[in-house]
Amino acid sequence: MQLTEHQNRAITSPSKNLLVLAGPGSGKTRVLCERIRYLITSGVAPAEIVVLTFTNSAAKVIQGRVGESKLGFIGTLHGFMLRLCTAHASAIGYGGKISVVDADQAEDFLVSVVAKLKLKATKGEIETAIALGPRALCSCTPASLIASDYFRTMRKNGLMDFDMVLHYGLEVAGYTGWMKTEPKHLLCDENQDSALIDNLIYDKLPIENKFFVGDPDQSIYQFRGANVGCILHRSEHEDVEVIRLEGNFRCGSDICAVAQSLIIHNPDRIDKRTVSMTGRTGDVDLWKDIPTPGFEMQTLARDIIEKKAPTAAVLLRSNALAREYAEALKGAGVEVQEKKQTAYPADWRLTRALLAVLSNPSNDALARMYLTVKHGPHEADVAARQAAKAMHTINAECLHFQPLADPVDWNYVTTQLAQAGCTPQSLELVTVAVGDLPADAGMADLLFAFASEQNTQEEAGTGTVVTTYHAAKGRQWHTVYLPAFEQAVIPGARKYPTEEAKAAALEEERRLAYVGMTRALGRLVISYCQQRKTTWGFKPEPASPSQFLAEAGLL
């Protein structure tokens, strides 16, 4: 397909600071990959290019499209920052190699700190104090004292949790000289889903040319820390060239029109459009005043069976609704694709502990944690005393794991897992995750992958997909159904502490509906009921159509 004028501009622009606002179906990934190819063919050394993606799987896709060129780095921000922190460990109070622990392992360390200090604080207070980061604690509240000691304990043992990687990464983001070749080009994908600290790091990195791609109208991960204000603020910088990719190669024109009519109701958004480039009008159907959810499900099932769309998806606001509708559709004879839920084996905690110690065998804290999981705290204490008496590390005294090569020999890793007695199910999970990593990824990238939700597999088999709006991001189907489109569902009826928080939540809900609408290639079907049970209700309550229907020009 021939590039549009705006796509070509985004690929070839000489601007040092570039923000590409890529609407739904606008060829975002293609533009990003073509930009990398263009830089290389223009004389930029691949080693001078850093590409930061939201997930490892996205990095692997981009690497595959770019070809054999070995980039300076391609992967997640966490992976990049860990390499930076390791290179400048002494500047942030670490000596030697830094290892990463996952959320469960970090909580074990936190529990030991709370037990040692014997201070009283709620879990929420402690989590809030830790979220401030290791350098932001200045009060003497019990929660702050616990958080301070937690950070000291982690630093003493050469460990970081995932948030610490970014907090310390921000401290040394301005440092240079740690990569074999100094990077000259930074390319960041999905900028609308970046948190505030992510953007502070981007701005601080001493890389001359910066290229950001994202769509503020599709920022739907506020609950994960995403801050849409960052991309909005970036677009206002005088030295930033903003390029809008408004051509939508996915949706028919009527679908685009409905989605556009909805999203313009978000105040302070960047003025841009989504314009169909498909040559199709598309169909938009509104099923009004359906009496009950049960009748809505029957109507859905009948339409899916009769229409026989090439691909179809039913999108709901919550996982609970998605499960309810999936079961009803299956009961009505609709073939529904089943989502592969990752079932973790009984020894999965042991496997993760072993992966952690393999990443840094000389780290006694990781070795002790592994022995505690495998044999219990008594055996771990005995091993620690024996190692101390012999003036050895625990690994040198009783485990005898070899340091990992660079790049990692994944066959060695899986062999060690098998010899330690890890089940075939755990070995398979590790092997699949390793296969999703980009080239030159290390053990830390694997641990980051396990800690995130990026390993959640999409549905398998044939039939209709039934999932949530959030899980539908980045995907498309010929026909998309949006049932339960009611005021108490989307937007929800949750209460907020301030009017500002309420307004921000409403804007995100509107963006979520926009994402749902723009998943449809050829047909969009929206329906609402006259009554529905609330989340905790036992009796049906009267329901009204979502305000988004009127805003979209459908009511």
Side-chain angles (χ1 to χ4, degrees), residues 28 46 130 141 165 300 378 389 395 423 442 484 549:
K28 169 182 70 70
I130 290 176
T141 64
V165 171
L300 268 174
H378 175 70
K389 185 176 180 180
N395 180 63
T423 62
L549 290 174

Side-chain angles (χ1 to χ4, degrees), residues 155-229:
R155 193 164 53 246
K156 175 184 175 182
N157 289 290
L159 303 176
M160 286 188 183
D161 63 29
F162 298 101
D163 289 337
M164 289 172 69
V165 171
L166 297 186
H167 283 294
Y168 281 119
L170 178 59
E171 288 190 29
V172 292
Y175 286 38
T176 60
W178 64 280
M179 296 181 71
K180 292 181 179 178
T181 303
E182 286 297 318
K184 295 181 179 178
H185 289 268
L186 173 70
L187 295 90
C188 298
D189 192 17
E190 302 286 6
N191 189 232
Q192 79 280 350
D193 293 327
S194 297
L196 175 60
I197 191 169
D198 301 347
N199 283 278
L200 292 174
I201 291 171
Y202 298 150
D203 291 341
K204 194 173 181 181
L205 287 171
I207 301 177
E208 184 178 5
N209 302 280
K210 296 180 180 179
F211 176 98
F212 298 91
V213 61
D215 182 8
D217 289 337
Q218 296 186 76
S219 178
I220 58 173
Y221 292 115
Q222 185 178 3
F223 65 95
R224 292 183 186 171
N227 188 330
V228 69

Side-chain angles (χ1 to χ4, degrees), residues 34 42 54 77 104 135 175 177 184 196 213 254-256 261 270 285 302 329 358 375 408 451 519 545 553:
E34 291 295 338
S42 298
F54 201 59
L77 178 61
D104 291 338
R135 307 298 198 198
Y175 286 38
K184 295 181 179 178
L196 175 60
V213 61
D254 286 358
I255 298 170
C256 286
S261 296
I270 299 172
D285 299 333
R302 185 167 58 250
L329 292 175
L358 286 174
H375 298 295
V408 175
R519 300 310 94 193

Side-chain angles (χ1 to χ4, degrees), residues 33 60 131 152 180 240 295 429 440 516 527:
C33 294
K60 187 175 181 181
R152 280 194 297 271
K180 292 181 179 178
V240 173
F295 191 87
L429 286 174
D440 298 330
S527 58

Side-chain angles (χ1 to χ4, degrees), residues 448-524:
F448 284 135
F450 283 136
S452 70
E453 296 183 7
Q454 67 191 60
N455 287 311
T456 302
Q457 306 224 354
E458 293 182 0
E459 299 79 8
T462 59
T464 300
V465 171
V466 183
T467 190
T468 64
Y469 289 86
H470 286 101
K473 179 80 179 295
R475 304 167 69 183
Q476 62 185 31
W477 298 269
H478 176 273
T479 299
V480 170
Y481 299 90
L482 304 181
F485 214 82
E486 294 132 25
Q487 187 65 17
V489 178
I490 183 167
R494 180 181 171 186
K495 294 182 179 179
Y496 294 90
T498 65
E499 287 300 316
E500 183 179 359
K502 181 179 179 181
L506 179 62
E507 289 187 31
E508 175 128 337
E509 293 279 306
R510 192 176 283 114
R511 292 193 293 268
L512 198 58
Y514 176 81
V515 167
M517 291 175 177
T518 53
R519 300 310 94 193
L521 283 80
R523 183 174 179 232
L524 173 66

Side-chain angles (χ1 to χ4, degrees), residues 82 86 97-102 105 157-160 351-363 365-367 369-370 395 401-405 408 410 412-413 416-417 442-448:
L82 182 62
T86 300
K97 188 173 182 179
I98 299 171
S99 298
V100 175
V101 294
D102 63 27
Q105 294 160 350
N157 289 290
L159 303 176
M160 286 188 183
T351 302
R352 286 172 18 237
L354 180 51
L355 287 170
V357 74
L358 286 174
S359 71
N360 189 3
S362 62
N363 188 303
L366 296 177
M369 178 178 65
Y370 166 66
N395 180 63
F401 294 128
Q402 298 299 314
L404 293 178
V408 175
W410 296 109
Y412 170 78
V413 172
Q416 293 301 317
L417 293 176
M443 183 66 81
D445 298 296
L446 178 64
L447 298 176
F448 284 135

